[in-house]
Amino acid sequence: MRILVVDDEPLAREIVIRHLAAEADVEVAGEAANGLEALEQIAALEPDAVFLDIEMPGLNGFEVVASLTKPPWIVFVTAFDEYAIQAFEAHAVDYLLKPVQAERVARCIARLRTFIGRDQTLPNEVLKQLMREVRPAGPRRIAVKQGNRIALVSPREIIHISAEEKQVYVQTARQRYSVDKTVTELEECLGGSGFFRINRGDLVNLEHVRELMPWFSGSWRVVMSNGTELDVSRDRARHLKRELQL
Amino acid sequence: MLKWLLRRSMTPNDILPTCLRSALAGALFGPVAGVFLHWVMGRPWAPILAEPLPWILRTVLAGLLYSLSFYIMSGMPWVFLRTWVRSLSFGLGRVIGITISASSGALFALVSIAITRLLWGVQLVPNEWITRLLALEAFAVVIIGLFMGTYHEMRIQAELRERKLAEAAARAQVYALQAQIAPHFFFNALNSISSLVSSDPAAAQQMIGRLAEIFRYTFTSGRAPMVTLEKELAFVREYLLLEKFRYRNRLRFTLDPAGEAAAQRLPALTLQPLVENAIRHGIARRMDGGEIRMEIKAAPESVRIEVWNQFDPGDGPPDLRTETIFRENHALANIRQRLQLSYGEQAAIALEQARVDWTLVTLTLPRHVEGADAHPGS
């Protein structure tokens, strides 16, 4: 079983790694000191499971999970977050409390053994549900690929997200990022951040909508803050007007 | 209606004692009033209270009748309405109180006339002295009402102020304790210690010592709420060194020495929460960490303490509205409250954004140096 250990404090990584060393079939595949490094390492190392600290600079643990399309098994690590712990309990998601204790780690690993390599479906749905509960206001940042690098974008900066010829782009006032996610995946990831799907290929940030004008045969058109005009499909127009309280 | 009044005015436990008190007062007041009336009217009781009742019993009965009616007319409205009246603002309460007194006084005057007619069979013509008596009574009611109302109000106000002060102080201490034993801080420190125990026992020992110092200072701050700036700064340093174990070189700090202002007195745990905030909301959110600077500027009349810290500009500009910064149960609001309790309007605390990615908290304290109090931690 290959495991990635993510925590911004070196001492905190050290203690988890030391406890993991007691397990014969566990290999610590790597370490990451923040959310961004975690995303890079998960992509590069494809670990079976990640021990993921929640409070981290840049992207926190939840935002890391929200940025993953197919997350591996996640064991959250936290010092104190009563609200999140309730959610973990409710969804039977593994977590460790700091100070991290050896027998807790052993129990986690035992549980992971029953899942990993047994052709179980990955914990996608459970994690998505969990994210909606612990971060009802949506993530502070999302990670987007920019060439070989990963950039962090605050949802507030995003004007719209559009699919063009099988490639999805995230548009901010300054830049356009291509991402390897579908519009639907991004819509899910940004849930609660004030985004609205205006047609099959376009997701707009309602904060950046400047104008709404009638277009042909019952469809509408929105003008975004950067001047881009996008079509609103007929069945979405009604919901959009309600969303904008028109 | 009566039930509603009762529920608004008193608890069931209140009713019996109040009625008993009224009855006792009536029994005491009755004979006196009777003798007084006997003297005023100057004639035997007739025709209802005639022989064979002895003179003294008739006097007492008549007095009782008067005082009972007095209590029903003017006492009962007050008994039922007093709690409600007290809950009103001072001015309104006084106006309503006087109205109740005056109107029940007038009602009583009417009832006395009726009773007099019943007892003596005479039509009581309000001749000059009776008019004067009534005017005097009304005047007395107003004066007594005003006096009682004002006195009562003053007592309530004083009580309220005292209670508010005590509550604020208690909250401050509770807050200080909670802030110090902030769960995140505490459990993370324990995690670091736990990690160091086997790899670097000496460092673990040092960290436990630091943690102990922090708890000691917090626990004793309740007994000696005012400390010297030097003490508080030493404590802040202790705290930062402990956090340094966790954040390593992501946390960089410089603390000015207290210098001339070493003996300046300030509420304990004023500076540490500022530094804790600087780490939580500033340094911890920056991927490669940041810097905290504390500068002490001593002037003859005041001491200015500036806490500078970097934050992550990617989080967007900080929300600097007064209602956000000083929201209840937050460090800054609590510090401001304690400064006000200690110095009145002479102290100030302000938060601003300085340059692109720095925030600055400025504390201004009036010069305050005092003889030896016990210091926490000593």
Side-chain angles (χ1 to χ4, degrees):
Chain A
M1 188 187 322
R2 297 170 67 252
I3 288 177
L4 176 71
V5 178
V6 186
D7 198 306
D8 58 325
E9 295 170 34
L11 287 175
R13 291 200 298 276
E14 223 169 87
I15 188 167
V16 171
I17 291 169
R18 195 167 325 125
H19 292 324
L20 286 177
E23 308 289 327
D25 57 341
V26 169
E27 177 205 339
V28 176
E31 294 177 43
N34 58 54
L36 212 51
E37 266 182 48
L39 285 180
E40 286 165 357
Q41 300 274 47
I42 290 168
L45 303 169
E46 294 183 350
D48 298 308
V50 181
F51 279 62
L52 185 61
D53 185 32
I54 294 174
E55 291 300 325
M56 287 187 298
L59 285 181
N60 71 26
F62 294 127
E63 286 155 354
V64 167
V65 172
S67 297
L68 292 167
T69 318
K70 288 198 177 69
W73 291 95
I74 304 282
V75 176
F76 288 103
V77 186
T78 182
F80 187 83
D81 189 341
E82 281 173 298
Y83 187 52
I85 289 167
Q86 271 179 21
F88 297 154
E89 292 282 356
H91 294 281
V93 170
D94 276 326
Y95 66 94
L96 288 175
L97 292 175
K98 290 177 180 181
V100 177
Q101 290 167 52
E103 61 269 35
R104 288 277 180 179
V105 175
R107 211 182 303 163
C108 262
I109 293 296
R111 213 172 102 91
L112 285 174
R113 273 190 205 110
T114 65
F115 298 128
I116 292 168
R118 295 228 175 145
D119 212 30
Q120 289 255 3
T121 48
L122 284 170
N124 239 336
E125 281 312 312
V126 174
L127 284 174
K128 263 181 209 157
Q129 178 64 33
L130 182 75
M131 290 306 112
R132 277 195 284 274
E133 269 175 44
V134 293
R135 288 292 180 272
R140 274 182 314 133
R141 312 272 173 77
I142 62 162
V144 292
K145 257 216 314 255
Q146 187 186 21
N148 295 330
R149 300 179 49 210
I150 296 176
L152 294 184
V153 182
S154 148
R156 283 183 304 188
E157 291 176 52
I158 300 174
I159 298 169
H160 62 96
I161 292 166
S162 301
E164 290 167 26
E165 295 173 6
K166 292 194 177 169
Q167 181 58 55
V168 176
Y169 295 98
V170 171
Q171 179 74 51
T172 68
R174 269 172 289 162
Q175 239 167 327
R176 193 161 98 134
Y177 305 92
S178 70
V179 287
D180 54 356
K181 280 185 187 153
T182 66
V183 177
T184 308
E185 279 166 0
L186 283 164
E187 186 181 9
E188 252 168 27
C189 163
L190 288 166
S193 304
F195 280 77
F196 188 82
R197 187 78 169 264
I198 52 169
N199 60 50
R200 275 182 56 196
D202 292 302
L203 185 65
V204 299
N205 186 345
L206 292 175
E207 291 284 313
H208 284 279
V209 173
R210 288 290 170 271
E211 260 179 71
L212 185 64
M213 50 192 182
W215 210 237
F216 299 110
S217 59
S219 74
W220 289 69
R221 204 147 224 248
V222 286
V223 183
M224 305 304 294
S225 60
N226 62 348
T228 311
E229 290 183 15
L230 299 165
D231 290 324
V232 185
S233 69
R234 214 181 325 169
D235 58 319
R236 300 300 293 158
R238 204 157 31 90
H239 296 287
L240 177 61
K241 280 193 282 184
R242 196 187 308 139
E243 201 71 27
L244 292 169
Q245 284 161 354
L246 292 173
Chain B
M1 179 66 185
L2 188 67
K3 244 187 180 170
W4 177 84
L5 270 177
L6 278 175
R7 230 183 300 126
R8 280 194 67 100
S9 60
M10 52 180 116
T11 60
N13 293 345
D14 255 2
I15 296 176
L16 196 61
T18 309
C19 291
L20 279 177
R21 258 203 311 272
S22 303
L24 189 67
L28 285 175
F29 180 67
V32 179
V35 170
F36 176 71
L37 284 163
H38 185 75
W39 171 68
V40 167
M41 301 312 288
R43 50 160 88 204
W45 310 112
I48 291 178
L49 291 177
E51 310 276 2
L53 286 175
W55 173 86
I56 185 78
L57 202 60
R58 283 176 302 181
T59 309
V60 169
L61 270 175
L64 273 178
L65 208 56
Y66 271 104
S67 81
L68 205 64
S69 65
F70 174 79
Y71 272 96
I72 288 171
M73 289 301 121
S74 43
M76 284 320 233
W78 190 246
V79 165
F80 284 120
L81 294 174
R82 63 178 178 165
T83 316
W84 173 66
V85 171
R86 273 180 204 169
S87 71
L88 298 172
S89 73
F90 180 44
L92 192 62
R94 202 155 46 163
V95 167
I96 290 181
I98 291 168
T99 314
I100 291 174
S101 304
S103 57
S104 52
L107 211 62
F108 174 61
L110 287 178
V111 171
S112 345
I113 291 170
I115 292 175
T116 312
R117 188 168 184 192
L118 194 73
L119 289 183
W120 288 282
V122 287
Q123 182 71 43
L124 199 63
V125 184
N127 62 29
E128 201 187 337
W129 69 265
I130 283 185
T131 316
R132 272 194 214 139
L133 201 69
L134 280 177
L136 197 72
E137 189 217 307
F139 182 68
V141 161
V142 169
I143 292 296
I144 291 171
L146 272 176
F147 178 74
M148 299 274 285
T150 311
Y151 171 73
H152 188 73
E153 192 61 31
M154 271 161 55
R155 224 184 46 194
I156 284 180
Q157 289 293 329
E159 242 169 55
L160 215 69
R161 209 171 26 243
E162 234 161 74
R163 205 180 315 150
K164 250 189 203 158
L165 273 174
E167 263 172 27
R171 244 200 330 264
Q173 198 186 341
V174 167
Y175 175 84
L177 286 166
Q178 285 171 339
Q180 203 45 60
I181 315 169
H184 261 112
F185 164 77
F186 182 55
F187 291 123
N188 276 314
L190 284 184
N191 197 42
S192 306
I193 292 171
S194 163
S195 178
L196 283 171
V197 163
S198 52
S199 63
D200 189 350
Q205 224 167 26
Q206 212 181 355
M207 231 179 136
I208 289 171
R210 293 238 142 85
L211 200 58
E213 281 307 311
I214 286 167
F215 275 78
R216 204 187 318 279
Y217 188 88
T218 312
F219 287 141
T220 44
S221 73
R223 257 176 284 135
M226 296 294 271
V227 295
T228 62
L229 181 57
E230 200 174 20
K231 281 262 175 209
E232 178 80 359
L233 276 179
F235 170 63
V236 166
R237 180 176 296 278
E238 208 65 32
Y239 174 78
L240 280 167
L241 286 171
L242 186 66
E243 290 287 51
K244 186 102 175 135
F245 270 104
R246 289 177 50 204
Y247 292 103
R248 301 271 169 96
N249 44 15
R250 276 176 62 214
L251 172 63
R252 300 177 286 279
F253 63 88
T254 43
L255 297 182
D256 264 8
E260 282 173 55
Q264 166 73 26
R265 298 181 77 73
L266 76 169
L269 296 165
T270 307
L271 302 183
Q272 183 273 337
L274 295 179
V275 172
E276 184 174 332
N277 263 358
I279 294 181
R280 265 215 353 234
H281 303 299
I283 311 303
R285 285 162 169 269
R286 285 168 67 98
M287 233 160 340
D288 41 6
E291 202 184 327
I292 295 178
R293 278 207 323 260
M294 195 182 283
E295 295 177 5
I296 317 281
K297 288 164 182 167
E301 294 298 309
S302 65
V303 176
R304 204 167 79 217
I305 301 163
E306 298 179 351
V307 182
W308 297 77
N309 76 270
Q310 286 182 292
F311 67 91
D312 185 359
D315 279 345
D319 187 352
L320 294 177
R321 286 169 305 167
T322 315
E323 65 269 26
T324 322
I325 302 173
F326 294 112
R327 63 188 179 278
E328 218 176 314
N329 294 327
H330 263 250
L332 288 186
N334 184 271
I335 291 169
R336 183 169 72 166
Q337 191 182 26
R338 280 186 291 158
L339 290 180
Q340 247 163 20
L341 288 174
S342 318
Y343 303 110
E345 297 304 313
Q346 287 173 286
I349 178 167
L351 173 69
E352 62 196 287
Q353 186 179 354
R355 290 172 246 165
V356 188
D357 61 345
W358 288 80
T359 46
L360 166 62
V361 179
T362 312
L363 273 181
T364 315
L365 309 175
R367 269 302 210 168
H368 180 53
V369 183
E370 223 179 74
D373 284 1
H375 299 173
S378 61

